[in-house]
Amino acid sequence: MKLFKPFSLGNLTLKNKIVMAPMTRSRAYNNVPTDEMATYYEQRAGAGLIITEGTSPSPNGLGYPRIPGAFSKSQIVGWKKIAKKVHDKDGLIFVQLMHCGRVSHKENLPVNEQTIAPSQVQLEGEIYTDTKGLQSFDIPKEMTLQDIRETQNAYVNSANLLVNNANIDGVELHGANGYLINQFLNPISNLRNDIYGGNYKNRARFLLETTMKTVEKIGENRVGVRLSPYTVSNGMLGQHDEVIEMYQYLAQELTKLKIAYIHIADHSVLNNAPKFATDISKTIKENFKGVVIVGGDVDTAKKGETLLDKGYDLVYIGRPFISNPTLVKKLESGIALTTPDYEKFYTPTMEGYIDYK
């Protein structure tokens, strides 16, 4: 099957076409990658490429409890240990850079840090904090132009530290699922009237500038971008007039930057969200002259092969990797998969984390 054949991603050779999707696991105590995290990723190094859990490029991007960062010395030391563990198993690993933006509460941020977003639009609902339990999402501060520059520089700085100090193979800029970059893209959370708001080209500016600056710093082969058209995650507006045009435009502009890949997130099955209203993955593939990663509800080799047969390049798999560290071998051999314990996805203990076989 093509799914288990090697694949060239820029100057990297993936041992198969299976990508471990980024999944928040909340085991980074004090936001520092731990030895247990190194074991977790080492166990799953059979994937052609691991994309890590969302990792904040700055203190004010740490929206959830116990998610890792990539901006301090201790964090980079932790990521270096993880990279070595994965590389020793002949694996490859990209760190997903995720600034949570308005998906945050001050109890999850360091002292004196403030929740920021493109506009002062509060997300409805509640977020868990270790200190006070469930709390309403913060009312974010609208980012100034200086905030925008500083945040873009934070992404670039983290990418540089990860690649050049921690030996991570590359980074993925998380432009999906309602986090900061997606908040700029979406008209429900971006009400700005400057060059970063209004029409879809202005709303895309933050992502494209950040991608360009990151590419300039670490090279195009080391940068991927994740997108989630039609998503309603974290309060996003799934349907709006410019969806198709915007994602065509993004695909064309990201082609010019020659990035390693575009990763299209489709979590409609998991989140009970609407299905893609159009074949937007095909639209992006037709407009992006590079590698496209797709997936969603893939739990058999046959499902993965079907996506490759449609012309996509790589297949991401998410939750099955949580409870099946040797997922690739199981898929190749047709071995039944272990069901994950959903109640332990985000708990601070090692149960339901590194104890699966």
Side-chain angles (χ1 to χ4, degrees):
M1 298 180 82
K2 297 189 293 291
L3 190 65
F4 303 107
K5 300 295 184 184
F7 181 83
S8 294
L9 181 67
N11 57 356
L12 301 173
T13 300
L14 281 57
K15 52 193 173 187
N16 54 63
K17 297 182 178 69
I18 297 173
V19 176
M20 178 178 166
M23 291 173 286
T24 294
R25 300 307 314 276
S26 296
R27 262 73 174 197
Y29 313 115
N30 298 315
N31 307 117
V32 176
T34 63
D35 290 344
E36 290 80 10
M37 284 175 60
T39 298
Y40 172 76
Y41 286 114
E42 177 189 28
Q43 290 174 339
R44 290 152 180 82
L49 175 66
I50 291 172
I51 306 174
T52 74
E53 61 211 275
T55 300
S56 182
S58 60
N60 61 11
L62 295 164
Y64 294 114
R66 291 170 270 108
I67 68 169
F71 50 84
S72 74
K73 183 177 180 180
S74 59
Q75 290 165 349
I76 298 305
V77 168
W79 283 116
K80 188 172 184 178
K81 291 180 181 179
I82 292 172
K84 185 178 189 306
K85 288 275 193 179
V86 171
H87 292 156
D88 285 349
K89 293 290 186 178
D90 297 320
L92 296 168
I93 183 167
F94 274 40
V95 169
Q96 186 192 70
L97 292 177
M98 176 184 80
H99 191 297
C100 289
R102 69 175 186 163
V103 186
S104 184
H105 188 275
K106 62 183 178 182
E107 289 295 318
N108 291 335
L109 299 179
V111 176
N112 298 324
E113 294 295 339
Q114 186 175 11
T115 299
I116 60 173
S119 300
Q120 195 179 58
V121 181
Q122 184 182 24
L123 177 58
E124 294 182 5
E126 295 179 315
I127 186 170
Y128 179 79
T129 71
D130 281 336
T131 50
K132 295 184 177 180
L134 289 173
Q135 296 289 310
S136 296
F137 289 101
D138 281 345
I139 299 173
K141 171 198 170 189
E142 180 171 308
M143 295 169 71
T144 64
L145 293 178
Q146 181 177 345
D147 291 329
I148 287 174
R149 287 191 294 271
E150 289 176 354
T151 302
Q152 290 177 330
N153 290 339
Y155 278 100
V156 174
N157 180 61
S158 285
N160 181 53
L161 289 172
L162 287 164
V163 169
N164 293 311
N165 290 33
N167 299 324
I168 292 290
D169 298 298
V171 300
E172 176 178 281
L173 302 180
H174 194 4
N177 300 350
Y179 298 107
L180 184 68
I181 293 174
N182 198 185
Q183 290 162 29
F184 271 95
L185 293 174
N186 201 283
I188 202 169
S189 50
N190 184 346
L191 307 181
R192 302 177 71 93
N193 56 14
D194 61 5
I195 61 171
Y196 292 95
N199 64 63
Y200 70 87
K201 290 185 178 180
N202 279 356
R203 298 199 310 273
R205 189 184 304 272
F206 181 82
L207 168 58
L208 294 175
E209 286 183 350
T210 305
T211 306
M212 179 184 67
K213 291 177 180 181
T214 307
V215 164
E216 288 174 349
K217 191 68 175 181
I218 65 171
E220 65 253 17
N221 287 335
R222 296 185 181 274
V223 181
V225 170
R226 197 179 206 204
L227 302 171
S228 59
Y230 297 114
T231 188
V232 295
S233 296
N234 289 312
M236 293 293 94
L237 181 66
Q239 285 273 26
H240 55 88
D241 292 341
E242 298 173 324
V243 171
I244 297 173
E245 286 179 289
M246 182 171 70
Y247 283 96
Q248 285 178 326
Y249 173 71
L250 284 171
Q252 292 163 2
E253 293 300 305
L254 291 171
T255 295
K256 295 175 185 177
L257 296 177
K258 300 179 181 179
I259 62 171
Y261 64 78
I262 288 178
H263 178 185
I264 305 171
D266 179 3
H267 295 312
S268 58
V269 175
L270 300 180
N271 295 340
N272 296 316
K275 293 285 188 180
F276 287 168
T278 67
D279 194 348
I280 197 71
S281 296
K282 181 180 179 182
T283 298
I284 292 172
K285 178 65 175 172
E286 290 173 346
N287 284 275
F288 180 65
K289 308 308 177 188
V291 172
V292 174
I293 305 173
V294 296
D297 195 33
V298 175
D299 55 7
T300 66
K302 183 178 180 180
K303 288 181 180 179
E305 198 75 10
T306 297
L307 292 173
L308 296 178
D309 287 342
K310 289 182 178 180
Y312 299 107
D313 303 287
L314 298 169
V315 176
Y316 78 76
I317 303 178
R319 292 184 178 186
F321 260 115
I322 288 177
S323 50
N324 298 276
T326 59
L327 179 64
V328 175
K329 288 184 178 179
K330 286 187 175 183
L331 292 177
E332 195 166 13
S333 303
I335 298 172
L337 302 185
T338 301
T339 302
D341 186 341
Y342 296 93
E343 293 184 358
K344 294 185 174 67
F345 276 6
Y346 312 114
T347 54
T349 69
M350 291 304 105
E351 290 183 280
Y353 188 56
I354 57 174
D355 54 352
Y356 288 109
K357 302 299 182 184

mmCIF file of all heavy atoms in Angstrom, residues 284-301:
data_model
loop_
_atom_site.group_PDB
_atom_site.id
_atom_site.type_symbol
_atom_site.label_atom_id
_atom_site.label_comp_id
_atom_site.label_asym_id
_atom_site.label_seq_id
_atom_site.Cartn_x
_atom_site.Cartn_y
_atom_site.Cartn_z
ATOM 1 N N ILE A 284 -8.117 23.620 -2.163
ATOM 2 C CA ILE A 284 -6.794 23.991 -1.669
ATOM 3 C C ILE A 284 -5.710 23.233 -2.425
ATOM 4 O O ILE A 284 -4.704 23.818 -2.842
ATOM 5 C CB ILE A 284 -6.701 23.739 -0.150
ATOM 6 C CG1 ILE A 284 -7.610 24.721 0.600
ATOM 7 C CG2 ILE A 284 -5.258 23.872 0.339
ATOM 8 C CD1 ILE A 284 -7.745 24.449 2.082
ATOM 9 N N LYS A 285 -5.917 21.948 -2.638
ATOM 10 C CA LYS A 285 -4.929 21.140 -3.357
ATOM 11 C C LYS A 285 -4.698 21.672 -4.768
ATOM 12 O O LYS A 285 -3.554 21.710 -5.247
ATOM 13 C CB LYS A 285 -5.399 19.681 -3.403
ATOM 14 C CG LYS A 285 -4.483 18.736 -4.173
ATOM 15 C CD LYS A 285 -3.128 18.592 -3.504
ATOM 16 C CE LYS A 285 -2.263 17.559 -4.222
ATOM 17 N NZ LYS A 285 -0.878 17.523 -3.720
ATOM 18 N N GLU A 286 -5.773 22.094 -5.427
ATOM 19 C CA GLU A 286 -5.642 22.612 -6.787
ATOM 20 C C GLU A 286 -4.921 23.949 -6.838
ATOM 21 O O GLU A 286 -4.346 24.318 -7.865
ATOM 22 C CB GLU A 286 -7.028 22.752 -7.417
ATOM 23 C CG GLU A 286 -7.692 21.420 -7.734
ATOM 24 C CD GLU A 286 -9.128 21.568 -8.194
ATOM 25 O OE1 GLU A 286 -9.698 22.679 -8.008
ATOM 26 O OE2 GLU A 286 -9.698 20.587 -8.719
ATOM 27 N N ASN A 287 -4.943 24.687 -5.739
ATOM 28 C CA ASN A 287 -4.342 26.022 -5.715
ATOM 29 C C ASN A 287 -3.005 26.083 -4.992
ATOM 30 O O ASN A 287 -2.332 27.111 -5.049
ATOM 31 C CB ASN A 287 -5.317 27.005 -5.065
ATOM 32 C CG ASN A 287 -6.461 27.400 -5.976
ATOM 33 O OD1 ASN A 287 -6.336 28.314 -6.783
ATOM 34 N ND2 ASN A 287 -7.573 26.680 -5.883
ATOM 35 N N PHE A 288 -2.636 25.000 -4.327
ATOM 36 C CA PHE A 288 -1.358 24.951 -3.612
ATOM 37 C C PHE A 288 -0.422 23.998 -4.322
ATOM 38 O O PHE A 288 -0.714 22.810 -4.454
ATOM 39 C CB PHE A 288 -1.566 24.517 -2.166
ATOM 40 C CG PHE A 288 -0.288 24.438 -1.372
ATOM 41 C CD1 PHE A 288 0.452 25.580 -1.106
ATOM 42 C CD2 PHE A 288 0.176 23.216 -0.898
ATOM 43 C CE1 PHE A 288 1.639 25.504 -0.369
ATOM 44 C CE2 PHE A 288 1.361 23.131 -0.157
ATOM 45 C CZ PHE A 288 2.084 24.289 0.100
ATOM 46 N N LYS A 289 0.691 24.495 -4.780
ATOM 47 C CA LYS A 289 1.653 23.671 -5.509
ATOM 48 C C LYS A 289 2.661 23.092 -4.524
ATOM 49 O O LYS A 289 3.832 23.471 -4.478
ATOM 50 C CB LYS A 289 2.353 24.491 -6.599
ATOM 51 C CG LYS A 289 1.400 25.219 -7.529
ATOM 52 C CD LYS A 289 0.346 24.284 -8.117
ATOM 53 C CE LYS A 289 -0.651 25.037 -8.993
ATOM 54 N NZ LYS A 289 -1.778 24.169 -9.416
ATOM 55 N N GLY A 290 2.181 22.185 -3.707
ATOM 56 C CA GLY A 290 3.037 21.574 -2.700
ATOM 57 C C GLY A 290 2.309 20.446 -2.008
ATOM 58 O O GLY A 290 1.257 19.991 -2.451
ATOM 59 N N VAL A 291 2.872 19.989 -0.905
ATOM 60 C CA VAL A 291 2.339 18.843 -0.167
ATOM 61 C C VAL A 291 1.104 19.254 0.622
ATOM 62 O O VAL A 291 1.093 20.280 1.299
ATOM 63 C CB VAL A 291 3.416 18.286 0.783
ATOM 64 C CG1 VAL A 291 2.835 17.212 1.706
ATOM 65 C CG2 VAL A 291 4.578 17.720 -0.027
ATOM 66 N N VAL A 292 0.058 18.430 0.525
ATOM 67 C CA VAL A 292 -1.174 18.657 1.285
ATOM 68 C C VAL A 292 -1.441 17.439 2.159
ATOM 69 O O VAL A 292 -1.453 16.302 1.680
ATOM 70 C CB VAL A 292 -2.375 18.921 0.354
ATOM 71 C CG1 VAL A 292 -3.672 18.997 1.162
ATOM 72 C CG2 VAL A 292 -2.167 20.224 -0.423
ATOM 73 N N ILE A 293 -1.656 17.703 3.453
ATOM 74 C CA ILE A 293 -1.973 16.661 4.430
ATOM 75 C C ILE A 293 -3.465 16.728 4.740
ATOM 76 O O ILE A 293 -3.990 17.800 5.057
ATOM 77 C CB ILE A 293 -1.177 16.861 5.736
ATOM 78 C CG1 ILE A 293 0.322 16.939 5.467
ATOM 79 C CG2 ILE A 293 -1.490 15.740 6.734
ATOM 80 C CD1 ILE A 293 1.157 17.307 6.696
ATOM 81 N N VAL A 294 -4.139 15.601 4.642
ATOM 82 C CA VAL A 294 -5.565 15.532 4.976
ATOM 83 C C VAL A 294 -5.807 14.347 5.900
ATOM 84 O O VAL A 294 -4.945 13.480 6.078
ATOM 85 C CB VAL A 294 -6.453 15.414 3.721
ATOM 86 C CG1 VAL A 294 -6.347 16.650 2.851
ATOM 87 C CG2 VAL A 294 -6.098 14.154 2.922
ATOM 88 N N GLY A 295 -6.994 14.286 6.475
ATOM 89 C CA GLY A 295 -7.351 13.177 7.350
ATOM 90 C C GLY A 295 -8.741 13.381 7.908
ATOM 91 O O GLY A 295 -9.591 14.006 7.277
ATOM 92 N N GLY A 296 -8.960 12.866 9.111
ATOM 93 C CA GLY A 296 -10.267 12.950 9.741
ATOM 94 C C GLY A 296 -10.945 11.599 9.740
ATOM 95 O O GLY A 296 -11.226 11.048 8.673
ATOM 96 N N ASP A 297 -11.135 11.031 10.924
ATOM 97 C CA ASP A 297 -11.820 9.743 11.076
ATOM 98 C C ASP A 297 -11.081 8.617 10.358
ATOM 99 O O ASP A 297 -11.694 7.675 9.856
ATOM 100 C CB ASP A 297 -13.265 9.835 10.582
ATOM 101 C CG ASP A 297 -14.134 8.658 11.047
ATOM 102 O OD1 ASP A 297 -13.874 8.171 12.161
ATOM 103 O OD2 ASP A 297 -15.033 8.241 10.305
ATOM 104 N N VAL A 298 -9.755 8.682 10.321
ATOM 105 C CA VAL A 298 -8.962 7.609 9.721
ATOM 106 C C VAL A 298 -8.530 6.645 10.817
ATOM 107 O O VAL A 298 -7.770 7.007 11.718
ATOM 108 C CB VAL A 298 -7.726 8.166 8.983
ATOM 109 C CG1 VAL A 298 -6.853 7.021 8.462
ATOM 110 C CG2 VAL A 298 -8.145 9.070 7.840
ATOM 111 N N ASP A 299 -9.028 5.418 10.755
ATOM 112 C CA ASP A 299 -8.644 4.419 11.750
ATOM 113 C C ASP A 299 -8.347 3.066 11.117
ATOM 114 O O ASP A 299 -8.187 2.065 11.801
ATOM 115 C CB ASP A 299 -9.720 4.270 12.832
ATOM 116 C CG ASP A 299 -11.096 3.952 12.265
ATOM 117 O OD1 ASP A 299 -11.197 3.712 11.037
ATOM 118 O OD2 ASP A 299 -12.070 3.965 13.033
ATOM 119 N N THR A 300 -8.247 3.052 9.784
ATOM 120 C CA THR A 300 -7.832 1.843 9.066
ATOM 121 C C THR A 300 -6.895 2.254 7.936
ATOM 122 O O THR A 300 -6.931 3.399 7.461
ATOM 123 C CB THR A 300 -9.030 1.092 8.455
ATOM 124 O OG1 THR A 300 -9.624 1.914 7.429
ATOM 125 C CG2 THR A 300 -10.070 0.747 9.512
ATOM 126 N N ALA A 301 -6.090 1.294 7.500
ATOM 127 C CA ALA A 301 -5.202 1.559 6.369
ATOM 128 C C ALA A 301 -6.007 1.866 5.112
ATOM 129 O O ALA A 301 -5.614 2.716 4.304
ATOM 130 C CB ALA A 301 -4.285 0.367 6.141
#
